[in-house]
Amino acid sequence: MGGAAALEKLMPVVLAFGAGVLLARRKVVPAEASKVFADYAFLFAVPCYLFGNIYGADLSALFAWRAIGGYAAAAALAVVLVAAASALAGIREPRDVALRVMAGVQVNTAYFAVPVFITFFGTAAPIFPVLLFQVCVLSLVVISIMELGRSGPGAGSTGQKLTRAVGASLVTPVVLSCNAGILLNLLSVHVPTVVLDGAAFVGDSASPVALFALGLHLGGMGLDIRGTTREELTLIGFKCLAFPLLAWAVCGVLFGVRGEWLTYLVLIAAMPTPQNLFIFAQRYEVGVDLSASVVIKSSVVSLLLLPLWLQTVAG
């Protein structure tokens, strides 16, 4: 795919995202409304989209284990690299390290990858197995470390903290909808057409609403380029450049992934840091300012680099 074709494919993404930024900057729509739009997308529209598509998918083709194994290996290596770099920088507190691992390795699936994949490929199906791996493995590890580091009233015992961590990872609407779709698919349970049509109708709104919400959020907070710290630059560079290259090398060279799946995995790795990073930072009172900055700036950098990644990998 050439550069012009990639940019053309990206135009709907830029339009929805840019409209949010513009309307928030001009105060036509209050930036605070981004939470309402984001909650609608994350809690309702995206789960509807995921459920309907997973239920109707060919799971044997969807879960390409060589490809998913390659991505998992690349993510594990990336975790080690970020943790080692944090230690070399003098960051020893486990929660601080976990936050930086999440910033450098986790990807924004629901708000960014899903709409981008729908725009580029007409489907977000390749994201589903990576999304489950990310939530059920990577997020579980990060949340567990955060919970174990909590102190003070209500913190609870180690067992209670781990129970909260597992619960927080597995009961989000996105994960529940994916698991429900997989289970009903495997059991060949008949879901009424009216339910699937309703889920498809709502799910079609997930892509533009999620991007619009992200644009409102960015437009409200602003983008302080001059105030970017060296650590922020390092994390953003790793997330938007190093991790995709690592995924390309590990999946393509070591695991022999070729064709469309290699393109999918590299593009997924190139997605920005998820907004959940900022939510976790606020909840556990660690690195709040760093998290907000990395989420916003990695979103902008990722958006700018997507045509390059698509042209390079797919070409």
Side-chain angles (χ1 to χ4, degrees), residues 88-225:
L88 290 174
I91 300 170
R92 307 287 182 181
E93 212 282 322
R95 292 189 304 165
D96 287 319
V97 175
L99 191 78
R100 284 154 178 80
V101 166
M102 187 176 182
V105 181
Q106 294 246 41
V107 301
N108 190 330
T109 51
Y111 295 110
F112 209 98
V114 167
V116 166
F117 266 62
I118 293 173
T119 302
F120 279 165
F121 307 112
T123 178
I127 297 172
F128 303 156
V130 173
L131 186 154
L132 289 174
F133 163 73
Q134 176 168 285
V135 173
C136 298
V137 179
L138 293 177
S139 289
L140 181 59
V141 172
V142 170
I143 296 173
S144 297
I145 293 172
M146 294 292 190
E147 285 288 349
L148 290 173
R150 292 183 71 182
S151 59
S157 64
T158 299
Q160 290 173 326
K161 293 176 182 178
L162 287 176
T163 299
R164 283 199 300 266
V166 174
S169 294
L170 301 181
V171 300
T172 61
V174 169
V175 176
L176 289 176
S177 64
C178 288
N179 289 334
I182 291 172
L183 181 63
L184 295 178
N185 184 311
L186 290 174
L187 296 177
S188 299
V189 175
H190 174 70
V191 176
T193 302
V194 65
V195 174
L196 295 176
D197 288 345
F201 177 77
V202 175
D204 286 343
S205 69
S207 174
V209 171
L211 289 167
F212 183 73
L214 195 61
L216 281 178
H217 180 70
L218 172 60
M221 293 194 68
L223 193 64
D224 182 13
I225 301 297

Side-chain angles (χ1 to χ4, degrees), residues 7 22 30 66 77 108 110 147 177 180 234 241 262 282 302:
L7 286 172
L22 180 64
R66 180 188 294 271
L77 182 55
N108 190 330
E147 285 288 349
S177 64
T234 301
L241 289 172
L262 183 59
Q282 285 185 314
S302 178

